[in-house]
């Protein structure tokens, strides 16, 4: 009798799991299948004071509702103080293996001699994601990203999600597999999108039905002229498809510090980040969300879908 | 005959060396004994963009004519670029064993696990010079300051002198002895002053007649109210004694980056550094130098007194 009940329960569980997989992500989160759900996500917290100050200001508007932190960067302590004081904030880790500004550099959390494949001749992370991925020993990558997660936790940050600065961990299957293995172990959702174009083929083979992945990522790129910034984002929001979209933005002020860091690198530079700040903290953006019936959600909700 | 000439030459050499030691530092540098010689020295280069930008601007006035660089700090590359382009600049190394701002931190050049005595629980240098000196293993200090010098050289900086950020290397005899040993090996002059009050007794026992030391260091302190800043410096310059004085200043702009770094630490903070910048780049300071017949010299000249 007991055996029969167990078998029945098991059967019901299997049916439930299969059903769960059939439902859309929006439904699994408790929303209608056609709901338009958006995470407004600021990258690069901890990088500089300007990034921190602008992003924390944007969080106050509640229009920007998520962000991720670069543990190796010099201004980590400032954002760790915020995280400890605001445990409800949706803060993830922006796992970092590059140091992209010519005059403003950082290196690993792990002792340098153990992660030599990640470093340039001056002992910093490499300038580009392509160079970083080409040279990185996956074992050293795993050691370093684990060290970043552990350091964040030791400083009182309880991350809700993981992503990868400049996408280094999406550059090839070996690095992506390391990223997924560590994320699964910590039971944290990662920035992976169902609609990811060319990269999807390489990366999706590594994913399993138990991984939580959002529907799409929206980000601006250097082909958009500064005067078209608001139009690009406004059009994208008006045309937002149902499901979970993450808009990935980069906030900072166009001030001395950011101008110094990005002097030779206008893409994702000081003025770029000020434009993102201006748009995503504007009343215009608030109205667009209302008019298009877009609901803001966070990675914290997505993380609840992962069996703990 | 040859032997007699050798003996005579040796005797002459000994007499010359003894004579050299009797002469004042000003005379050894080729100036009259009563010359008033001044090094206007900006500390903390490489710490932040604001420090770099303000100090390089001050160098353009030629009223600030020397500075020292913090190798472990995130903006080192910016000042290394300047150093490579301006090989005549009088740039030393501000050997760094502390990381004093609550929200803006840095750590060692050496792999962290080899210099554990220098680190706080988050893996950064300690916040204060007293804590740093109390915990530091002198062997690890030696490894780290050698690593800082070698990294600076590898990045194209040819240092003219050495000093110690927040004076950590002057905190006790063990650390001072490490500092002197390394400086002698690199044949670089260090910030050591003949008139150094209470610390002199402890430290002077370590000095030899072959070390080059200046006559005095002048620096402002938190007891001077902001409105008395110019008066303090002006009085000090009017009363400057003959010999070699180094005025140690801290330049930066009172901007977002420095305000963020020093928000809980007004001493040596953003407004403090702006006041130093304003005074030492002013026409008033230029006039004071002229009226008081003060000649600016650099550590490069002092370094020439060290037998290579």
């Amino acid at each position: 009798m007991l055996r029969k009940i167990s078998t029945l329960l098991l059967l019901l569980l299997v049916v439930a799991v299969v059903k769960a997989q059939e439902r859309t992500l929006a439904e699994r989160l408790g929303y209608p299948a056609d709901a338009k759900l958006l995470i407004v996500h600021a990258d690069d917290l901890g990088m500089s004071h300007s990034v921190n100050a602008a992003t924390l200001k944007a969080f106050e508007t509640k229009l920007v509702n998520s962000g991720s932190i670069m543990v190796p960067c010099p201004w980590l302590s400032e954002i760790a103080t915020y995280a400890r004081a605001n445990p409800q904030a949706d803060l993830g880790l922006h796992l970092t293996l590059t140091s992209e500004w010519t005059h403003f550099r950082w290196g690993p959390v792990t002792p340098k001699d153990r992660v030599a494949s990640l470093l340039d001749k001056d002992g910093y992370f490499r300038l580009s994601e392509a160079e970083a991925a080409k040279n990185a020993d996956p074992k050293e990558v795993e050691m370093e990203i684990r060290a970043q997660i552990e350091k964040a936790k030791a400083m009182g940050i309880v991350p809700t999600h993981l992503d990868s600065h400049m996408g280094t961990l999406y550059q090839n299957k070996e690095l992506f597999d390391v990223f997924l293995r560590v994320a699964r172990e910590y039971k944290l959702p990662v920035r992976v999108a169902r609609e990811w174009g060319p990269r999807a083929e390489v990366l999706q083979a590594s994913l399993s039905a138990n991984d939580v992945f959002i529907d799409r990522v929206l980000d601006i790129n250097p082909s958009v002229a500064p005067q078209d910034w608001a139009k690009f984002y406004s059009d994208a929001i008006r045309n937002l498809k149902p499901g979970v979209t993450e808009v990935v933005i980069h906030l900072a002020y166009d001030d001395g510090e950011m101008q110094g860091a990005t002097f030779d690198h206008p893409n994702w530079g000081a003025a770029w980040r000020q434009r993102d700040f201006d748009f995503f903290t504007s009343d215009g953006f608030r109205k667009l969300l209302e008019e298009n019936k877009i609901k803001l959600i966070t990675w914290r909700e997505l993380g609840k879908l992962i069996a703990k």
Side-chain angles (χ1 to χ4, degrees), chain A:
Chain A
M1 181 64 186
L2 203 65
R3 195 179 171 125
K4 269 196 180 166
I5 290 174
S6 295
T7 310
L8 188 66
L9 280 174
L10 188 65
L11 194 68
L12 283 171
L13 189 68
V14 168
V15 169
V17 166
V18 170
K19 274 280 173 199
Q21 298 306 325
E22 282 170 3
R23 287 153 67 211
T24 65
L25 181 58
E27 289 173 302
R28 290 172 64 200
L29 290 165
Y31 298 98
D34 63 348
K36 295 176 182 175
L37 306 172
L38 185 66
I39 305 167
V40 185
H41 189 280
D43 282 14
D44 298 352
L45 278 160
M47 177 196 277
S48 68
H49 178 65
S50 185
V51 166
N52 286 351
T55 307
L56 299 186
K57 188 78 186 165
F59 283 171
E60 288 176 17
T61 67
K62 302 199 190 297
L63 293 170
V64 178
N65 68 343
S66 185
S68 57
I69 299 171
M70 299 173 72
V71 175
C73 288
W75 290 85
L76 170 67
S77 295
E78 184 169 54
I79 196 70
T81 299
Y82 175 84
R84 289 192 301 269
N86 296 275
Q88 82 296 345
D90 192 50
L91 295 170
L93 301 182
H94 201 48
L95 299 171
T96 299
L97 299 167
T98 47
S99 169
E100 68 271 32
W101 313 115
T102 312
H103 283 168
F104 173 49
R105 311 295 308 276
W106 49 81
V109 170
T110 315
K112 284 174 195 163
D113 47 355
R114 299 200 207 158
V115 289
S117 76
L118 308 184
L119 307 183
D120 71 7
K121 65 176 178 49
D122 297 325
Y124 302 117
F125 285 137
R126 295 176 199 280
L127 289 163
S128 80
E129 67 277 33
E131 279 179 87
K134 195 180 78 179
N135 290 284
D137 175 337
K139 285 195 293 296
E140 295 182 3
V141 168
E142 181 158 350
M143 198 186 318
E144 174 61 18
I145 68 176
R146 285 180 186 276
Q148 291 182 15
I149 297 169
E150 288 302 317
K151 177 167 178 172
K153 292 175 73 169
M155 290 178 74
I157 297 166
V158 184
T160 61
H161 62 288
L162 299 176
D163 47 42
S164 167
H165 183 54
M166 298 171 71
T168 306
L169 293 168
Y170 307 98
Q171 294 291 307
N172 62 51
K173 184 171 156 45
E174 289 68 32
L175 297 184
F176 188 60
D177 285 347
V178 166
F179 184 27
L180 278 186
R181 180 163 61 245
V182 172
R184 286 169 184 159
E185 187 180 311
Y186 281 96
K187 300 189 183 300
L188 289 173
V190 301
R191 180 184 289 168
V192 175
R194 198 178 293 274
E195 300 168 13
W196 226 355
R199 273 202 289 218
E201 284 175 42
V202 182
L203 304 182
Q204 276 179 355
S206 299
L207 295 169
S208 84
N210 292 323
D211 292 313
V212 169
F213 32 99
I214 59 174
D215 293 295
R216 68 197 72 81
V217 167
L218 167 67
D219 53 357
I220 204 161
N221 64 64
S223 73
V224 180
Q227 66 273 17
D228 297 332
W229 219 254
K231 182 179 179 339
F232 172 91
Y233 282 129
S234 300
D235 288 350
I237 290 161
R238 286 193 196 97
N239 297 322
L240 204 70
K241 289 189 240 166
V244 177
T245 305
E246 180 178 42
V247 56
V248 171
I249 63 178
H250 298 85
L251 306 182
Y253 296 123
D254 186 9
D255 62 7
E257 182 189 20
M258 282 313 293
Q259 289 165 12
T262 68
F263 76 101
D264 59 351
H265 195 308
N267 295 337
W268 293 273
W272 174 302
R273 288 166 191 254
Q274 181 75 55
R275 288 195 297 275
D276 266 6
F277 177 84
D278 292 344
F279 182 82
F280 285 95
T281 59
S282 70
D283 283 338
F285 175 53
R286 191 186 297 276
K287 267 192 201 146
L288 276 168
L289 293 178
E290 288 166 5
E291 287 166 5
N292 294 280
K293 300 190 174 47
I294 292 165
K295 164 90 182 144
L296 297 189
I297 65 162
T298 66
W299 281 101
R300 192 181 295 282
E301 295 174 59
L302 290 160
K304 288 181 184 154
L305 300 181
I306 297 176
K308 304 291 170 181

